[in-house]
Amino acid sequence: MSGFASLRLAVCAALVGLALVSPNAGFIAQAGAAQDSRVGPSGLPLPRFVSLKAGKVNSRVGPGVTYAVDWMYLKPGLPMEIIQEYDNWRRVRDADGAESWINQSMLSGHRTAIAAPWQRGKDAQITLLSEPEKNARTVALIEPGVVGSIKRCNGEWCEMTFAGKDGWLAQSQLWGAYPGEAIDN
């Protein structure tokens, strides 16, 4: 773990500890109860994937503007997994496993995905194919960690757009679509 990541983890743990002893700590406990069901208070399934609307999105240690900003995301379209809901706030998880709260107004139902983020930093490339089959023609080689837009998924393959290139990736090579999930974006 890098020094920056361990510092972020330590700061986050300290802020969460402070939030738990604050007068607003009940919000976290109430929000935790929402995660137990498969449908959130919004009537939408939990967990589910969404993407960031804006290029600057504050993520907070708790569900409200009185909670400290833990992190700022700077990439619009970045996929996020909603794991909890409280009022207009969504507890999200990013591809690195970091969890925080983001206001729902900063999230979009447009589906995006990251190509094999677990391969970042390794000498690997992901093959974008012309058809949803292993022996199809190669359209492009995608670096791990690149974000693309999902057009549709059939449960095994997803038709994606990466920087203007359209093609198919095995669903197992993506973070942003659940295994076996069918999507029509």
Side-chain angles (χ1 to χ4, degrees), residues 30-93:
Q30 292 171 1
Q35 188 177 4
D36 295 334
S37 68
R38 302 297 296 155
V39 175
S42 66
L44 297 171
L46 287 176
R48 68 181 180 276
F49 281 105
V50 294
S51 60
L52 297 180
K53 276 186 186 177
K56 285 186 178 179
V57 177
N58 288 334
S59 65
R60 298 180 178 273
V61 297
V65 294
T66 58
Y67 288 92
V69 173
D70 178 38
W71 192 258
M72 181 183 287
Y73 290 99
L74 301 174
K75 183 163 180 62
L78 192 67
M80 293 283 168
E81 183 180 31
I82 294 178
I83 57 174
Q84 211 170 333
E85 297 178 345
Y86 176 76
D87 197 25
N88 291 329
W89 292 87
R90 304 297 179 254
R91 186 171 184 184
V92 298
R93 179 182 301 131

Side-chain angles (χ1 to χ4, degrees), residues 10 12 14 75 84 90 92 98 104 130 135 139 141 145 156 159 184:
C12 183
K75 183 163 180 62
Q84 211 170 333
R90 304 297 179 254
V92 298
Q104 72 174 5
S130 62
N135 297 327
V139 173
L141 296 176
E156 292 183 42
E159 186 177 15
D184 190 10

